[in-house]
Amino acid sequence: MKDAIIQILMGYLGSLGFNILFNIRGRKLLIASFGGLISWAVFLALESLLPSEAIRYFLSAAAVTVYGEVFARIEKTPTTTFLVPSVIPLIPGSSLYYTMNYALNKQWAAFSQRGFYTLQLALSLAVGIIAVTTLTRLLTLVRKKLRKAEFFSHFH
Amino acid sequence: MQPEQLLTCALDIGEQMLISGAEIGRVEDSIRHICSAYGCGRTDVFTITSSIVVSIEDTDRKFYTQTRRITATHTDLTRLDRLNALSRRICAARPSFDRVQEELQHICSGKTYPRWFEALASALIAGAFAVFFGGSWFDGLVAAPLGFALRYITWLLQRARLNQIFTNVVASFLMCFCAISMTRAGVGHDVNMIIIGNIMLLIPGIALTNSLRDMISGDIMSGMLRFFDAVLVAAAIAAGFILAASMLGGAV
């Protein structure tokens, strides 16, 4: 438990550092960095339920995209502002490093296996984001249509 | 606004958005909305990560085209936020050419954090991720100054106008060389963790994720460009690491 808390906090700090490099300022800086905390917390919380890392990557990416979409609307800013910083702890940096290490030691079977695994994690991340963005776009569209229908019903 | 002026405005905004880190879809939508707000009959926009082409038709059925070539990107989410707001304001109020150019100028000269502060942020990233991936506090403390130096090295290499691949080979080489020799001298427990923390500063993780997002949402061309860019950068980082490790006697 203590390790998990340290890890989540470090994910938060790492995300905060990147948000400074991305020139996010003021209140948005806090909201964006908190997304990094959420993404890793969700990833760890599901560990006992779902052993597959790829599925947990998908779910935490989806969770954090919901967070990004909601706050993008509150703060009236593009979703990217909160989305990109939030997924930072999920970037498979260590997986990429181990892929490189296998290449260094000429363990080619392990190299390609790890390489594809890294790609798989990145893909889960992307699909998780896309799933939620598409769903939000659909919901906005439906809401607009409903509002229009309501507006015209006054004339009948 | 004259059609040529409208094109200039729309493309300037689109160009800056793309440089600041917007998705392809957002850039194309913004340009299309701006052009149709000023009454263009037909607007064709084609955007990939390195270029934008826009062609519009005015009320006299005459066509106008402009393109922009984008060579470098620099993620700046505050600038993106303000550009997005500007493009909405333009669609709602249809301001004059001079007014738009003035606002654009104002946005592009917006505040950024000073370089030493960015280097401190890099130190924070390297240190935090060294611990995040399982290193000790000591590893984090060793990774942080390396991250600080790495930021300045990358900046110097970029200023010398070296290409992106070579910049990454050299930066990764220097960082790994320092990390490995420092750990051998007793500064740091686990060299893997120190390197991983610093690799987070170099790896194109965001670019890779965005490339997959582009491809899934239908922008195949941009997706493939970004994807191969990311893979090449990753290979460059690996080359720097392998070079440093081999020079210092093989396995880490």
Side-chain angles (χ1 to χ4, degrees):
Chain A
M1 192 61 198
K2 189 174 154 247
D3 285 351
I5 290 172
I6 288 176
Q7 205 182 22
I8 291 171
L9 274 179
M10 289 299 133
Y12 172 78
L13 289 179
S15 172
L16 177 72
F18 269 108
N19 297 337
I20 292 169
L21 296 188
F22 295 156
N23 197 26
I24 305 180
R25 286 162 177 275
R27 190 175 48 194
K28 292 196 181 87
L29 182 62
L30 289 180
I31 299 173
S33 309
F34 197 71
L37 190 147
I38 294 179
S39 68
W40 200 254
V42 171
F43 181 82
L44 288 182
L46 295 172
E47 196 167 15
S48 52
L49 294 171
L50 300 160
S52 157
E53 274 197 358
I55 293 175
R56 277 188 287 147
Y57 258 70
F58 170 81
L59 289 175
S60 17
V64 103
T65 311
V66 172
Y67 173 83
E69 293 276 1
V70 168
F71 274 94
R73 275 162 185 73
I74 295 174
E75 295 285 319
K76 295 194 172 54
T77 184
T79 315
T80 318
T81 315
F82 299 128
L83 190 58
V84 166
S86 302
V87 298
I88 278 175
L90 297 175
I91 290 172
S94 72
S95 199
L96 181 75
Y97 172 75
Y98 289 117
T99 313
M100 280 161 34
N101 220 339
Y102 288 130
L104 172 70
N105 297 320
K106 302 194 176 69
Q107 296 170 302
W108 300 116
F111 165 76
S112 67
Q113 198 185 1
R114 193 81 204 197
F116 277 113
Y117 185 65
T118 310
L119 211 59
Q120 193 191 341
L121 292 184
L123 197 64
S124 304
L125 196 62
V127 175
I129 295 170
I130 288 281
V132 175
T133 10
T134 313
L135 213 65
T136 337
R137 221 168 273 167
L138 223 67
L139 279 176
T140 333
L141 212 71
V142 169
R143 224 178 57 179
K144 261 187 201 158
K145 280 263 160 69
L146 283 178
R147 210 175 274 169
K148 223 179 234 173
E150 206 175 286
F151 177 75
F152 282 118
S153 67
H154 289 296
F155 294 95
H156 293 299
Chain B
M1 209 185 280
Q2 299 297 314
E4 288 288 359
Q5 291 180 325
L6 172 60
L7 261 182
T8 305
C9 283
L11 269 161
D12 283 348
I13 292 171
E15 179 187 17
Q16 288 302 325
M17 280 182 137
L18 202 55
I19 291 173
S20 308
E23 324 91 273
I24 302 297
R26 177 175 299 277
V27 174
E28 292 195 344
D29 279 350
S30 301
I31 293 176
R32 217 175 282 128
H33 284 147
I34 292 172
C35 292
S36 75
Y38 286 89
C40 290
R42 179 181 175 146
T43 311
D44 288 294
V45 189
F46 177 68
T47 309
I48 52 176
T49 35
S50 50
S51 161
I52 311 177
V53 184
V54 182
S55 169
I56 56 171
E57 181 189 17
D58 72 357
T59 37
D60 302 328
R61 318 209 94 208
K62 266 175 79 180
F63 280 91
Y64 300 85
T65 305
Q66 276 188 30
T67 73
R68 290 283 189 284
R69 172 83 168 97
I70 286 96
T71 46
T73 56
H74 179 79
T75 311
D76 184 334
L77 296 177
T78 296
R79 186 182 286 187
L80 175 59
D81 174 40
R82 298 176 70 190
L83 287 165
N84 195 53
L86 174 64
S87 102
R88 274 167 196 244
R89 270 207 306 284
I90 290 176
C91 291
R94 278 182 286 165
S96 69
F97 176 74
D98 293 331
R99 178 103 195 111
V100 174
Q101 287 297 322
E102 191 184 308
E103 291 213 26
L104 199 59
Q105 202 74 49
H106 182 66
I107 290 174
C108 292
S109 57
K111 269 195 296 187
T112 49
Y113 290 108
R115 191 163 309 283
W116 60 268
F117 194 69
E118 285 192 356
L120 273 185
S122 303
L124 179 69
I125 295 168
F129 277 113
V131 179
F132 179 86
F133 285 114
S136 63
W137 294 111
F138 188 34
D139 292 332
L141 280 179
V142 176
L146 277 176
F148 189 89
L150 191 59
R151 184 80 195 166
Y152 274 98
I153 291 167
T154 332
W155 177 63
L156 278 177
L157 291 171
Q158 271 165 358
R159 221 178 54 155
R161 293 186 180 280
L162 286 182
N163 72 54
Q164 200 198 5
I165 303 297
F166 197 68
T167 303
N168 276 293
V169 174
V170 175
S172 159
F173 170 78
L174 288 174
M175 181 270 288
C176 295
F177 192 89
C178 291
I180 296 169
S181 25
M182 277 164 82
T183 322
R184 293 230 172 117
V187 186
H189 290 141
D190 189 346
V191 67
N192 296 315
M193 296 306 147
I194 297 171
I195 294 179
I196 291 175
N198 277 292
I199 275 182
M200 288 300 281
L201 287 170
L202 296 173
I203 70 162
I206 299 282
L208 184 67
T209 315
N210 279 344
S211 77
L212 296 170
R213 273 172 74 192
D214 281 342
M215 276 195 259
I216 298 169
S217 49
D219 291 310
I220 311 280
M221 279 280 272
S222 309
M224 290 205 302
L225 276 174
R226 267 196 192 149
F227 180 79
F228 281 105
D229 201 45
V231 169
L232 276 178
V233 170
I237 297 168
F241 165 70
I242 289 172
L243 213 65
S246 322
M247 269 178 76
L248 293 168
V252 177

